[in-house]
């Protein structure tokens, strides 16, 4: 009896990070780098232009051709910003609002996302649909009843009125739920339950470490949204207790607009967002790339 040997199937190619980088370098053409450079330049130019104008005098703003080199009046203009408005209070208020909302949204969204993704309870699907459906409601529809509620609580004009409505978001819950569905295998949770872990211990020791990349991405998006929020703080806060965006509105609302002053304040207001990205940029990029690879 003759035995026929079938040749073994070839092993799949290696997908190590080094090989992936080499393949990316082979595929990328000079046109790719040129397009990426153009996109980077277009994205960074508004920030650079704000810095240039904030370092010039008011007369330099209207020059033709425009001035593209920084001047020597930056610190003078910064001093003018803090003299014209209580910008230090605005920075502190925005840091409190954005920091509190970011921590709260990441915590509650991670808890809710874990529950919707990995726990079984009655009405789970219906409740998730209700949460997702709230994203379809325009924010403007809730301004009047929300303001009346804040006034009844005695919070009108105070930071609580800006912080409390944003402590959790439907987008954050759905985002974390989708991440847990893909990134956290049920076998890992079952192993934890066999070791005697309850739901909170599973969340703290298993789910939360696995969710760090997605939490970093959600935290950055939430911080930027809360920091840049203008409409609701303008409605509910008073000019004596501003955030950065309402302070910028005050600087730009005069009879004549001093663009040097406004862009100097905008440049100062951009610095905290850049610092947050520099501190958490590696985890944020890692979270985005991990989601792209799994998708």
């Amino acid at each position: 009896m003759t035995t026929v040997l079938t040749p073994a199937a070839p092993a799949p190619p290696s997908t190590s990070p080094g090989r992936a980088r080499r393949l990316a370098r082979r595929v990328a053409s000079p046109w790719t780098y040129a397009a990426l450079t153009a996109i980077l330049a277009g994205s960074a130019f508004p920030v650079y232009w704000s810095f240039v104008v904030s370092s010039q005098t008011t007369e330099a703003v209207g020059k033709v051709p425009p001035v593209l080199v920084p001047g020597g009046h930056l610190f003078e203009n910064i001093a003018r910003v803090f003299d014209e408005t209580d910008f230090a209070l605005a920075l502190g208020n925005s840091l409190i609002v954005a920091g509190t909302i970011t921590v709260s949204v990441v915590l509650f969204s991670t808890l809710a996302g874990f529950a919707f993704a990995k726990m079984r309870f009655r009405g789970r699907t219906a409740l998730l649909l209700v949460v997702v459906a709230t994203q379809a409601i325009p924010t403007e529809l809730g301004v009047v009843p929300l303001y009346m509620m804040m006034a009844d609580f005695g919070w009108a004009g105070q930071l609580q009125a800006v912080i409390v409505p944003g402590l959790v978001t439907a987008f954050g819950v759905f985002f974390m739920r989708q991440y847990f569905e893909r990134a956290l295998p049920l076998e890992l949770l079952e192993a934890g339950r066999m070791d005697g872990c309850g739901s909170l211990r599973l969340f703290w020791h298993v789910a939360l470490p696995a969710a760090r990349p997605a939490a970093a991405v959600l935290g950055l998006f939430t911080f930027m949204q809360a920091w840049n929020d203008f409409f609701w703080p303008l409605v509910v806060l008073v000019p004596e207790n501003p955030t950065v965006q309402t302070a910028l509105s005050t600087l730009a609302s005069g009879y004549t607009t001093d663009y040097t002053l406004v862009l100097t304040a905008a440049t100062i207001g951009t610095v905290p967002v850049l610092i947050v990205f520099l501190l958490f940029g590696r985890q944020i990029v890692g979270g985005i790339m991990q989601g792209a690879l799994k998708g």
Side-chain angles (χ1 to χ4, degrees), residues 216 220 275-288:
L220 176 65
I275 293 175
V276 169
F277 184 80
L278 290 176
L279 290 177
F280 301 101
R282 180 175 299 179
Q283 293 188 18
I284 292 166
V285 173
I288 294 174

Side-chain angles (χ1 to χ4, degrees), residues 63-265:
K63 285 186 177 180
V64 179
V67 179
L68 297 177
V69 179
H73 301 274
L74 178 62
F75 295 103
E76 175 187 339
N77 292 330
I78 291 176
R80 288 176 56 211
V81 168
F82 286 94
D83 289 339
E84 290 288 335
T85 185
D86 197 350
F87 208 70
L89 176 62
L91 285 171
N93 286 344
S94 287
L95 284 173
I96 293 172
V97 170
T100 305
I101 290 177
T102 299
V103 172
S104 174
V105 166
V106 171
L107 176 62
F108 289 128
S109 297
T110 306
L111 280 167
F114 173 69
F116 280 123
K118 299 301 177 181
M119 299 182 70
R120 300 293 181 264
F121 54 91
R122 183 176 299 177
R124 183 184 66 157
T125 303
L127 186 58
L128 179 61
L129 289 175
V130 170
V131 172
V132 174
T134 59
Q135 297 185 87
I137 302 175
T139 306
E140 291 77 11
L141 290 180
V143 168
V144 173
L146 189 58
Y147 183 85
M148 294 173 63
M149 186 183 298
M150 296 300 108
D152 291 339
F153 291 160
W155 291 352
Q158 302 179 23
L159 295 183
Q160 300 96 301
V162 182
I163 294 173
V164 172
L167 289 179
V168 66
T169 62
F171 169 78
V173 173
F174 183 74
F175 178 79
M176 295 306 299
R177 186 259 182 189
Q178 293 299 102
Y179 183 84
F180 277 127
E181 282 283 353
R182 296 185 177 185
L184 190 61
L186 286 173
E187 293 80 6
L188 192 59
L189 297 178
E190 293 299 331
R193 289 192 178 95
M194 291 179 64
D195 290 337
C197 291
S199 297
L200 287 179
R201 288 189 63 187
L202 281 175
F203 171 78
W204 185 257
H205 294 289
V206 179
L208 194 57
R212 284 177 183 173
V217 176
L218 178 62
L220 176 65
F221 289 162
T222 303
F223 185 88
M224 291 178 60
Q225 191 277 331
W227 184 271
N228 295 325
D229 190 16
F230 170 70
F231 180 66
W232 178 241
L234 181 68
V235 171
V236 78
L237 293 180
V238 293
E240 294 77 19
N241 194 28
T243 60
V244 167
Q245 308 307 323
T246 56
L248 286 173
S249 175
T250 301
L251 288 174
S253 62
Y255 184 75
T256 57
T257 302
D258 189 339
Y259 291 103
T260 300
L261 200 64
V262 174
L263 289 177
T264 301

Side-chain angles (χ1 to χ4, degrees), residues 12-21 23 293:
S14 173
T15 56
S16 62
R19 180 179 175 84
R21 286 193 292 268
L23 290 175
L293 291 175

Side-chain angles (χ1 to χ4, degrees), residues 17-29 32-33:
R19 180 179 175 84
R21 286 193 292 268
R22 289 193 297 270
L23 290 175
R25 283 195 293 267
R26 291 179 190 174
V27 174
S29 65
T32 303
Y33 289 108

